[in-house]
Amino acid sequence: MAGHDLNTLDWLLSGDVSIRYQTRRDLMADDNPTLRGRIATEGWGKRILACRKADGGWGESYYQPKWTSTHYTLLDLKGLQIAPDTADLHELVEALAARHVADDGGFGHQPDCKKSDVCVTGMFLNFGCYFGLSEAAARSFIDFLLPLQMKDGGFNCRSNRSGARHCSFHSTLSVLEGLLEYRRAGRRYRLAEILAAEARAREVLLQHRLFRSDRTGRVIHPDFLKLPYPARWRYNVLRALDHFREAEIAFDARMEDALDAIDARRRADGRWPRMAALPGRVHVVMEPPRGPGRWATLLALRVLAAYRPASAGKSMHLGQLNSA
């Protein structure tokens, strides 16, 4: 292995403060609150917060345009791991929850919605609970989601709209992330049912080895093996495995194919490539196209550290720990 292969961790620590914080927390067991606090005052976090409007949100409306709307901006801020008590974001998600309850009890794209969207409701639970959404505000969304779990164990955003026979991996993962964050926030309403729903939903992903047809073994969609960041609502195997890691799910042999696919994208220098971003407006271009990507590398290494520690170790060393 070439000498420069051993510098991956140092390279991550030279990135944006959000990358530095998560690298230390997830790869070096150093959860540094001071470093986390800087995400709001420098780099990508500062630039995103600076785009906030007088009404407390972003973009033209709650869900438009992609990706500078309030919805996806809050999802991005959660991805940066900005401190949950930053800039009155708790008050914002509480106000949004009160205004956006649709007639069916889910979270609507806009106030006075008749039918809500499963994916949007799951994503709102995800970042809403991260920013401290109260259990009282979350109950309606839990009541909306749980009955919509499909017979196969997953979820589909069409199930309450135009109908669906099978789950969508996109919807299933968005709901799983939301339910997990709800539990991590200490919420307990319908907790036993939520735990059972999560287990069933994860099982359907594992039955498909995270990206393969359970009948033919073929790749369900080539995009499942691409690793853009931010992934927004779109499913991919790295996002899925990062969820399993967050949920502290033990290794399952059915993860092997997905882990192989992630490992296969590793460059000769021990880093992962920066993949084309999803089209749409953004507040900030976090990483230019081409070359190595810090986001993909960070996520891949923490997934491998959880499920293939020897493989993760090939790409990093402890480096200079005084590099803040």
Side-chain angles (χ1 to χ4, degrees):
M1 183 168 57
H4 65 272
D5 294 352
L6 299 176
N7 294 323
T8 299
L9 200 56
D10 287 329
W11 172 70
L12 288 172
L13 291 170
S14 69
D16 184 84
V17 64
S18 60
I19 296 283
R20 298 203 298 275
Y21 168 68
Q22 293 183 61
T23 297
R24 286 179 168 272
R25 183 193 65 186
D26 300 331
L27 302 179
M28 301 163 65
D30 177 23
D31 193 343
N32 187 318
T34 301
L35 187 60
R36 186 183 207 179
R38 290 166 51 189
I39 297 172
T41 60
E42 52 186 271
W44 300 329
K46 178 182 179 180
R47 292 168 65 183
I48 292 172
L49 289 174
C51 297
R52 199 171 182 184
K53 300 186 303 179
D55 65 2
W58 287 264
E60 297 169 8
S61 65
Y62 175 77
Y63 201 73
Q64 295 294 332
K66 296 176 179 176
W67 308 105
T68 58
S69 64
T70 297
H71 180 87
Y72 286 104
T73 301
L74 288 169
L75 190 63
D76 281 352
L77 289 172
K78 194 237 176 184
L80 295 182
Q81 290 292 280
I82 199 167
D85 59 356
T86 297
D88 303 321
L89 294 179
H90 166 70
E91 288 78 4
L92 174 61
V93 297
E94 287 286 339
L96 289 169
R99 290 199 301 265
H100 284 257
V101 178
D103 287 357
D104 58 12
F107 189 93
H109 290 78
Q110 58 189 21
D112 303 318
C113 254
K114 299 297 182 185
K115 286 190 176 182
S116 54
D117 183 280
V118 169
C119 289
V120 171
T121 303
M123 286 187 281
F124 181 78
L125 269 182
N126 181 12
F127 58 71
C129 291
Y130 177 82
F131 289 118
L133 184 70
S134 66
E135 184 174 287
R139 285 188 176 200
S140 179
F141 308 134
I142 295 295
D143 289 341
F144 166 75
L145 286 171
L146 289 179
L148 290 175
Q149 188 162 27
M150 305 187 75
K151 289 182 179 180
D152 61 13
F155 293 83
N156 192 312
C157 63
R158 296 181 180 178
S159 60
N160 67 316
R161 292 171 172 269
S162 57
R165 295 177 58 192
H166 304 291
C167 74
S168 156
F169 279 24
H170 307 294
S171 301
T172 299
L173 185 52
S174 290
V175 172
L176 274 170
E177 290 168 341
L179 295 178
L180 173 62
E181 204 60 51
Y182 171 88
R183 289 195 294 107
R184 291 176 70 179
R187 311 306 181 229
R188 300 189 60 82
Y189 174 67
R190 300 187 70 172
L191 182 58
E193 295 167 86
I194 287 169
L195 287 167
E198 287 184 57
R200 288 184 62 209
R202 293 192 189 102
E203 179 62 22
V204 74
L205 297 181
L206 288 169
Q207 286 172 355
H208 291 81
R209 289 178 281 171
L210 302 185
F211 67 100
R212 294 189 182 278
S213 167
D214 59 343
R215 298 185 305 277
T216 68
R218 294 177 181 173
V219 175
I220 295 171
H221 196 289
D223 285 355
F224 287 4
L225 296 174
K226 296 178 181 178
L227 314 177
Y229 189 90
R232 319 295 185 187
W233 57 266
R234 300 195 187 191
Y235 178 93
N236 66 62
V237 293
L238 182 55
R239 180 182 160 205
L241 282 167
D242 203 37
H243 164 75
F244 277 76
R245 178 195 65 85
E246 288 261 8
E248 299 182 341
I249 303 301
F251 171 78
D252 187 298
R254 293 170 292 179
M255 298 175 179
E256 282 287 3
D257 284 2
L259 290 165
D260 284 343
I262 291 168
D263 223 347
R265 292 212 177 256
R266 191 191 320 232
R267 295 159 36 117
D269 61 5
R271 302 166 190 179
W272 275 256
R274 161 73 171 128
M275 305 201 76
L278 303 180
R281 302 181 196 176
V282 294
H283 296 298
V284 56
V285 176
M286 295 186 191
E287 297 183 287
R290 303 185 183 87
R294 286 187 173 87
W295 277 120
T297 300
L298 169 62
L299 269 64
L301 285 177
R302 70 190 186 192
V303 161
L304 291 173
Y307 297 117
R308 282 186 178 171
S311 179
K314 291 194 302 182
S315 288
M316 61 188 188
H317 70 130
L318 291 183
Q320 299 298 318
L321 297 188
N322 60 359
S323 173

